[in-house]
């Protein structure tokens, strides 16, 4: 391989590593159309320090609903400063017996327990379940796109913080997808093997949740 070929290979490799790093940040503007790479940037000259701070994790959160939980998202939609940075967070609050039901993201997720005791786990594509009781300070990873869950198994409320490697990782909850969307009841019966009575009960439960 001659020197010129080596030079061009090096330049190509460097370009593939450094492509797209043309601005320091891109605070999203949710009022503008959103593309596949995120929101368009706000005018940098109009930004202040407040644009880079998220305060909604403060204080106590009221848990409730059929799952006795409260989820506070810090995705690009709620925290535009992370737009384009490939990261996001959420605060999970659990009442006694509270659950974050089976769900998935288009990203990986890491959780750290801040208060209480939970059981957390995921199910891989081979239907192997990996779950563990987690105490304060414990950390667990849920690989990309895997179905995962968290359950408060303690006698007091619990709280955890999660981080995801995407600014808008999406949340698809299995039960809500089946019973709170526009999927016809007949199809829900066929694909879940549940009776008509049970599907009707579940649809009513989630419609009023």
């Amino acid at each position: 391989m001659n020197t010129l070929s080596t030079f061009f290979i090096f330049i190509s490799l460097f370009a593939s590593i450094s492509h797209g790093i043309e601005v320091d940040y891109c605070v999203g503007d949710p009022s503008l159309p959103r593309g596949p790479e995120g929101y368009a940037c706000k005018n940098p000259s109009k930004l202040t320090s407040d644009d880079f701070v998220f305060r909604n994790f403060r204080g106590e959160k009221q848990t409730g609903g059929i799952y006795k939980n409260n989820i506070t998202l810090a995705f690009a939609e709620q925290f535009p400063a992370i737009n384009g940075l490939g990261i996001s967070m959420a605060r999970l609050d659990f009442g006694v017996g509270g659950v974050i039901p089976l769900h998935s993201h288009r990203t990986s997720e890491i959780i750290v327990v801040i208060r209480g005791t939970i059981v957390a786990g995921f199910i891989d594509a081979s239907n192997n379940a990996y779950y563990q009781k987690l105490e304060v300070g414990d950390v667990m990873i849920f690989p990309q796109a895997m179905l995962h869950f968290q359950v408060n198994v303690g006698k007091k409320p619990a709280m955890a913080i999660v981080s995801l490697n995407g600014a808008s990782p999406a949340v698809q909850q299995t039960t809500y997808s089946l019973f709170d969307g526009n999927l016809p009841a007949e199809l829900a019966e066929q694909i879940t093997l549940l009776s008509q009575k049970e599907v009707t009960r579940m649809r009513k439960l989630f419609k009023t949740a």
Side-chain angles (χ1 to χ4, degrees):
M1 184 180 297
N2 59 38
T3 303
L4 186 60
S5 297
T6 303
F7 173 77
F8 279 114
I9 290 174
F10 172 78
I11 291 297
S12 298
L13 178 61
F14 181 77
S16 68
I17 295 172
S18 61
H19 76 283
I21 306 176
E22 299 180 6
V23 295
D24 293 329
Y25 43 79
C26 176
V27 177
D29 187 344
S31 69
L32 297 176
R34 185 177 183 178
E37 295 184 356
Y39 291 106
C41 305
K42 286 185 177 180
N43 185 339
S45 66
K46 297 182 178 181
L47 297 176
T48 70
S49 297
D50 284 338
D51 287 292
F52 298 93
V53 178
F54 185 78
R55 295 185 170 89
N56 290 355
F57 284 179
R58 290 183 179 183
E60 294 299 315
K61 306 293 183 181
Q62 293 295 317
T63 57
I66 58 177
Y67 287 120
K68 302 178 184 177
N69 68 29
N70 188 305
I71 302 172
T72 307
L73 300 179
F75 293 1
E77 293 83 352
Q78 297 81 24
F79 188 18
I82 65 174
N83 181 57
L85 297 181
I87 54 173
S88 59
M89 299 183 73
R91 170 176 165 169
L92 311 179
D93 285 271
F94 307 77
V96 176
V99 174
I100 304 297
L102 200 64
H103 65 285
S104 64
H105 310 281
R106 48 181 170 242
T107 63
S108 300
E109 175 183 327
I110 192 167
I111 185 171
V112 56
V113 179
I114 306 300
R115 182 171 65 229
T117 303
I118 68 173
V119 168
F122 69 93
I123 304 169
D124 70 13
S126 298
N127 295 324
N128 293 314
Y130 298 89
Y131 56 95
Q132 190 65 249
K133 181 184 287 188
L134 304 179
E135 307 283 353
V136 173
D138 290 346
V139 175
M140 187 173 185
I141 186 73
F142 310 116
Q144 181 176 352
M146 296 291 99
L147 291 167
H148 57 286
F149 60 88
Q150 296 92 27
V151 180
N152 181 5
V153 295
K155 297 181 179 180
K156 297 180 179 179
M159 192 256 283
I161 298 292
V162 300
S163 182
L164 306 98
N165 62 335
S168 185
V171 182
Q172 185 173 24
Q173 292 191 1
T174 306
T175 45
Y176 280 95
S177 296
L178 287 169
F179 305 114
D180 192 34
N182 63 351
L183 183 71
E186 295 79 8
L187 287 177
E189 294 167 26
Q190 290 178 302
I191 64 179
T192 63
L193 300 181
L194 294 175
S195 68
Q196 181 182 25
K197 181 179 179 180
E198 183 62 14
V199 168
T200 299
R201 185 188 76 84
M202 294 292 286
R203 286 166 67 88
K204 288 181 179 179
L205 179 66
F206 284 94
K207 290 294 184 185
T208 58

